[in-house]
Amino acid sequence: MKNKLVRCAGALALSAMLVLPLSACGDTEASGDTVRKEWVYVPEFITVEGENVSYYNMQLSGNDAYYSSWAWDEETGQGQSNLCRYSITDKQTETISLAWPDEGVSANINEFVIGADGAIYIVTYDSIPVSEGVYDSRQVLYKFDSQGTMVYSENLTEQFKKELDSDNIYLRTMTVDGQGRCYICLEDFVMLYNEQGAYQGKIALADMSNGWVSGMGRGKDGKVYINILGTGSDGGNGSTLTELDFDGKKLGASYEGFSGGGNSSLGPGIEKDFLIFDSSKVYEYDLQTQTKEELFDWLDSDIDGSSVSACGTLEDGRLAVVYQDWETNDSGIALLTKKKSSEVEQKEIILIGSIYGDSELRSSAVKFNKSSDKYHISIREYMPDEYDDYNNALNDALTNLNNDITSKNGPDIIELYGVNVSQLAAKGVFEDLAPYLEKSTVLNRSDLVEKALEAYTYEGVLVSIPNNFSIMTVAGSAKDLEGKKGWTVNDLIAYADANPGKALFDGVTKGQFMQYLMMYNESEFVDWTTGECKFDSEEFKSMLTFVNRFPDAYDWRSDEASTPTKIQNGEVLLDTVGLTGFNDIQIPIEEFEGQMTCIGFPTISGEGGHAIMTNQAYGITAKSGNKEGAWAFIESVLTQEDSGRYWNGFPVVKSKLDAMIAEATKVEYYVDENGNQVAIMGGGSIGYQDGWSYEYHTTTQEEVDIIMELLENSRPINYNYGSQIVSIINEEADAFYKGQKSVDEVASVIQSRIKIYVGENN
């Protein structure tokens, strides 16, 4: 859980970025291999320094930004919850003097919203003195005018208890309409309060079992609308925007084509009804046509969209954006001015093609764009925001990427997550990065974990240098597997036969286990260079026969024992282990009660069952027209300063890995009541519904050594989880599993289909 970031108000530091890329917003015109758009949004970044500024809950209204803060009064020995107003145009901050009722109440601001007229609506958790040392608590709705004079207060706790039979309700969000009526959103209801604060009833939301409230806000028409995500029948990523009918106390008209990207910010647009955004782009939504129009990509304004919490329009037409990067602590307000592209100096575009896109990629791109006066990263994401069928959407995304690779306007860099790297490498799609690494003035090959480089070396060509990696393996009982450093599929079969009535893995299905096997053995059956396939071999038939022992599906029960409990009870023999941090090895050690060995996944040869899986891996395309700029981006990803956390694994740069080890093994101390230093060995805990739990300790050198030995003996794996080969195998193998065809018949069909597929894509 990321901690709330709080910074303080005071002096201002301004910086304007007036150099933008060739792509931004509006109409476009072709310009060689790039696209020059007519309009751009030029950012001016405002950093507010001082004490007690919170970007966490900052809201925009008119030309002002509002935020709540907490201050400690040394004289009274009490804390005070305040509301502050920052004038974006005057660059001044004031603490609004709120006239709380004088009854000894300690009011803690929970939620607040600003009305169209500047009135302030606040929901608090109040602590009320009942007797000496005894306090009662309540939730209260307050309305203040713009200067802080109280207009009304309404005890929500009493209302919730009366209407919902509970006095402790989780408040999701709140807003007010153009008439000053307040809407408070709870789990399944929206509570309604009129201009005087009197309760008027509630609106029941639709079935929320498959959905959640993404946002609620006032549109340009002054009415209030609610956005609910995941409301499709399959619980997918659909989005429904619905008007809230205050007078009728019911849900009003619903609108299609709307997606707030899961962001809670929902406010009036510039010209249309709503200004909305996701982590990639900013849009305006029109209620009448039920369509959204893209305004611009966050990257074109050097902003990481995943860190944006609010976006609004100033009176002069500029956009104000509140952003907070939890990992870098880079927070502030960006003011965006719309300009003709021809008026702004341009950078050279480096285009990255990515199937999914993610916050790490965009964060790295923003850092690079701000630091480079020559190049600008632009990202083309191929997976759509919304889709009916994931597999179809993924296949379309891969097809579109492949089509772009062969075109003259293809990406300069490909993010390798989700693509078949070996297939593309066999086609000669990638530039060899070894010469660039040799000439680099900031990196040497000896600075990097060699195993991670091996993961992306194909026929002697280094197609990528990933930023970090994880290790995947299989753990088992050292008493059963003593002396074994790896095993074949036949060894695993023999182990299962020697332990009848016991499950190899907990809850693993046929499809999942086939995916495990192909992850480590696909290269034994497919040669993308020659197009040769071996799915009619005896080895593959043996694998099919063994996979048939696993269940078709697994239905987890809420009262079921946890995996650690099943292992310790002797019901389950093995466990899959994913290592992304040094304390991850502690759970398998505990599961097997200190008698753990990592034997790895079974392979045809019996070796290489531990795998290195990489993250943030980028390959430069051989057709790129700007390879030097593309390499500059890869260098920047590898050398950029980190926040001290490696969320997705171990760093490939050895100096960062050493720093991670030092941090993981550092023992901290506290001084006890006798003045003695006592080591703090805790590091969080994990618990399961059946009572099994574990408390982490500071990583030991022995645990570090286990992981480093696994790394040394790991085999680089770059597996495509959307593999069409696995899909073909599972589709055709079903007839064998059901007894409709023999293993020979199914293997023959699989061989034929995959050979055709490889031939068409080789």
Side-chain angles (χ1 to χ4, degrees):
M1 185 68 67
K2 297 172 181 175
N3 294 322
K4 182 187 297 187
L5 174 67
V6 177
R7 275 208 270 157
C8 301
L12 304 173
L14 306 179
S15 65
M17 299 292 292
L18 296 177
V19 181
L20 286 193
L22 295 171
S23 62
C25 64
D27 298 330
T28 64
E29 62 179 48
S31 177
D33 287 344
T34 62
V35 175
R36 185 186 182 94
K37 295 192 175 183
E38 184 180 2
W39 297 96
V40 295
Y41 280 83
V42 179
E44 173 190 357
F45 295 98
I46 300 174
T47 302
V48 183
E49 298 179 353
E51 294 185 357
N52 297 333
V53 170
S54 172
Y55 296 100
Y56 167 74
N57 62 356
M58 187 173 285
Q59 296 183 26
L60 299 166
S61 180
N63 289 334
D64 299 321
Y66 295 78
Y67 59 91
S68 63
S69 66
W70 179 264
W72 182 260
D73 190 322
E74 293 289 350
E75 293 185 5
T76 64
Q78 293 183 336
Q80 177 64 50
S81 188
N82 297 315
L83 190 71
C84 301
R85 178 166 48 216
Y86 169 70
S87 172
I88 295 174
T89 52
D90 297 337
K91 309 296 189 295
Q92 297 294 321
T93 301
E94 64 171 322
T95 299
I96 303 171
S97 181
L98 299 173
W100 300 109
D102 187 16
E103 51 184 80
V105 173
S106 175
N108 301 308
I109 296 175
N110 179 29
E111 291 282 343
F112 72 91
V113 67
I114 310 301
D117 60 353
I120 302 164
Y121 301 78
I122 298 175
V123 171
T124 64
Y125 279 114
D126 289 356
S127 182
I128 308 164
V130 177
S131 59
E132 186 173 352
V134 179
Y135 293 85
D136 193 10
S137 62
R138 67 185 183 186
Q139 294 186 71
V140 180
L141 168 64
Y142 293 96
K143 178 181 178 180
F144 303 89
D145 66 18
S146 60
Q147 300 308 308
T149 300
M150 191 175 76
V151 178
Y152 67 70
S153 66
E154 179 75 10
N155 190 327
L156 297 180
T157 298
E158 291 181 358
Q159 200 68 61
F160 293 161
K161 192 167 186 177
K162 179 180 178 181
E163 288 290 319
L164 305 173
D165 195 28
S166 176
D167 57 1
N168 186 21
I169 298 292
Y170 172 67
L171 191 155
R172 283 184 174 271
T173 185
M174 64 183 292
T175 193
V176 294
D177 61 20
Q179 300 179 48
R181 301 179 298 189
C182 188
Y183 302 66
I184 296 179
C185 181
L186 309 177
E187 291 284 346
D188 301 303
F189 298 94
V190 176
M191 313 294 278
L192 306 173
Y193 298 84
N194 67 13
E195 298 90 330
Q196 290 76 42
Y199 177 66
Q200 300 297 295
K202 61 182 181 291
I203 299 175
L205 299 178
D207 178 19
M208 297 294 289
S209 59
N210 290 325
W212 65 97
V213 174
S214 166
M216 185 174 70
R218 184 174 64 247
K220 208 170 182 65
D221 58 6
K223 298 179 181 179
V224 169
Y225 298 79
I226 192 166
N227 183 31
I228 300 176
L229 293 182
T231 51
S233 59
D234 61 350
N237 65 344
S239 175
T240 302
L241 181 71
T242 305
E243 178 187 341
L244 296 178
D245 182 353
F246 189 100
D247 296 322
K249 300 178 182 57
K250 62 182 180 180
L251 295 173
S254 291
Y255 298 89
E256 298 179 353
F258 183 88
S259 174
N263 197 286
S264 60
S265 181
L266 189 62
I270 304 170
E271 298 177 353
K272 303 184 189 302
D273 295 286
F274 286 101
L275 185 68
I276 58 176
F277 60 90
D278 55 26
S279 61
S280 303
K281 297 175 181 178
V282 181
Y283 309 86
E284 278 198 294
Y285 181 80
D286 187 285
L287 288 173
Q288 184 175 358
T289 62
Q290 300 190 46
T291 57
K292 65 180 181 181
E293 176 186 346
E294 178 185 331
L295 294 182
F296 62 95
D297 189 303
W298 285 120
L299 275 183
D300 293 336
S301 297
D302 290 338
I303 295 173
D304 179 1
S306 63
S307 68
V308 174
S309 60
C311 183
T313 309
L314 303 182
E315 293 174 2
D316 61 9
R318 289 181 297 170
L319 293 180
V321 177
V322 177
Y323 62 93
Q324 180 178 33
D325 190 320
W326 295 99
E327 294 190 17
T328 65
N329 290 342
D330 178 21
S331 305
I333 300 173
L335 305 181
L336 305 182
T337 303
K338 187 177 180 180
K339 289 180 177 287
K340 282 277 190 181
S341 179
S342 57
E343 299 174 2
V344 180
E345 183 181 349
Q346 305 298 322
K347 294 182 183 180
E348 296 179 41
I349 288 288
I350 307 296
L351 178 62
I352 298 180
S354 172
I355 295 298
Y356 299 99
D358 60 29
S359 59
E360 282 184 313
L361 171 56
R362 288 190 164 268
S363 177
S364 295
V366 167
K367 292 173 186 175
F368 177 78
N369 290 345
K370 285 184 174 181
S371 65
S372 175
D373 58 3
K374 184 176 181 180
Y375 303 113
H376 180 94
I377 295 295
S378 183
I379 299 172
R380 182 180 296 164
E381 296 177 11
Y382 290 87
M383 197 72 173
D385 294 331
E386 297 183 7
Y387 45 79
D388 294 324
D389 183 273
Y390 172 79
N391 289 328
N392 287 339
L394 178 58
N395 287 334
D396 289 343
L398 291 169
T399 298
N400 292 333
L401 172 61
N402 287 330
N403 290 340
D404 280 355
I405 289 172
T406 60
S407 73
K408 68 175 183 178
N409 293 321
D412 299 285
I413 297 173
I414 300 174
E415 185 190 19
L416 302 184
Y417 181 78
V419 303
N420 192 322
V421 181
S422 58
Q423 178 183 341
L424 295 179
K427 293 181 178 181
V429 166
F430 299 109
E431 182 82 356
D432 187 357
L433 299 188
Y436 295 85
L437 185 57
E438 269 186 49
K439 292 186 292 184
S440 174
T441 58
V442 296
L443 283 174
N444 293 313
R445 190 170 186 122
S446 59
D447 297 331
L448 308 171
V449 174
E450 185 64 29
K451 286 286 185 178
L453 302 187
E454 291 177 14
Y456 286 102
T457 300
Y458 294 85
E459 300 295 325
V461 175
L462 178 62
V463 304
S464 179
I465 304 174
N467 189 35
N468 48 63
F469 65 91
S470 57
I471 299 173
M472 286 189 66
T473 187
V474 169
S477 169
K479 291 181 288 187
D480 293 346
L481 305 170
E482 187 175 0
K484 287 185 177 292
K485 297 297 183 181
W487 50 3
T488 66
V489 176
N490 287 334
D491 291 333
L492 182 63
I493 294 172
Y495 185 55
D497 290 342
N499 291 275
K502 298 181 180 181
L504 280 175
F505 298 93
D506 189 19
V508 174
T509 64
K510 288 181 173 68
Q512 291 170 332
F513 194 67
M514 178 58 75
Q515 182 162 287
Y516 287 152
L517 291 175
M518 293 310 297
M519 182 187 301
Y520 292 83
N521 296 287
E522 185 175 296
S523 60
E524 299 287 342
F525 300 105
V526 180
D527 187 327
W528 282 101
T529 304
T530 64
E532 183 182 4
C533 299
K534 299 178 181 178
F535 290 96
D536 54 358
S537 64
E538 292 304 316
E539 289 89 349
F540 184 72
K541 293 176 189 177
S542 177
M543 285 171 51
L544 273 177
T545 302
F546 183 57
V547 168
N548 197 26
R549 297 188 186 190
F550 289 81
D552 296 319
Y554 197 90
D555 185 19
W556 291 97
R557 304 188 318 272
S558 59
D559 61 346
E560 187 170 345
S562 64
T563 298
T565 296
K566 291 179 182 179
I567 289 173
Q568 292 179 353
N569 288 343
E571 301 170 48
V572 173
L573 298 171
L574 306 168
D575 197 12
T576 56
V577 177
L579 302 171
T580 60
F582 283 101
N583 69 345
D584 289 340
I585 197 66
Q586 293 181 30
I587 292 295
I589 291 175
E590 181 70 12
E591 283 179 331
F592 292 97
E593 300 175 288
Q595 298 294 314
M596 184 274 298
T597 186
C598 290
I599 189 170
F601 287 88
T603 62
I604 297 298
S605 66
E607 300 176 348
H610 317 299
I612 289 181
M613 311 291 287
T614 58
N615 184 54
Q616 272 196 296
Y618 308 103
I620 300 174
T621 58
K623 286 188 175 183
S624 169
N626 203 330
K627 296 173 184 176
E628 292 298 328
W631 170 251
F633 171 72
I634 292 175
E635 269 191 333
S636 75
V637 171
L638 294 169
T639 58
Q640 67 189 12
E641 291 186 13
D642 294 291
S643 60
R645 295 185 179 95
Y646 304 94
W647 297 105
N648 291 293
F650 306 96
V652 167
V653 177
K654 290 179 180 178
S655 59
K656 294 182 181 182
L657 182 61
D658 291 340
M660 187 180 182
I661 293 173
E663 180 67 24
T665 56
K666 181 174 65 177
V667 179
E668 297 182 337
Y669 298 87
Y670 72 92
V671 178
D672 65 13
E673 65 275 9
N674 298 318
N676 300 317
Q677 277 196 336
V678 180
I680 302 173
M681 294 300 288
S685 62
I686 186 173
Y688 293 86
Q689 77 283 354
D690 66 345
W692 195 94
S693 64
Y694 178 76
E695 185 173 340
Y696 291 94
H697 56 252
T698 303
T699 302
T700 66
Q701 186 60 47
E702 181 183 6
E703 290 162 352
V704 171
D705 292 342
I706 291 173
I707 292 176
M708 297 306 290
E709 183 179 355
L710 285 172
L711 170 61
E712 187 61 32
N713 292 287
S714 291
R715 181 170 60 148
I717 295 289
N718 185 24
Y719 181 74
N720 174 27
Y721 282 94
S723 171
Q724 185 65 23
I725 288 177
V726 174
S727 295
I728 292 172
I729 292 171
N730 285 333
E731 181 181 332
E732 296 298 339
D734 193 53
F736 167 61
Y737 300 151
K738 292 178 178 177
Q740 298 167 348
K741 291 183 180 179
S742 69
V743 68
D744 291 329
E745 290 173 317
V746 165
S748 178
V749 174
I750 292 173
Q751 167 74 1
S752 177
R753 283 193 60 186
I754 294 181
K755 191 169 181 62
I756 292 171
Y757 170 76
V758 172
E760 290 174 345
N761 291 275
N762 195 23

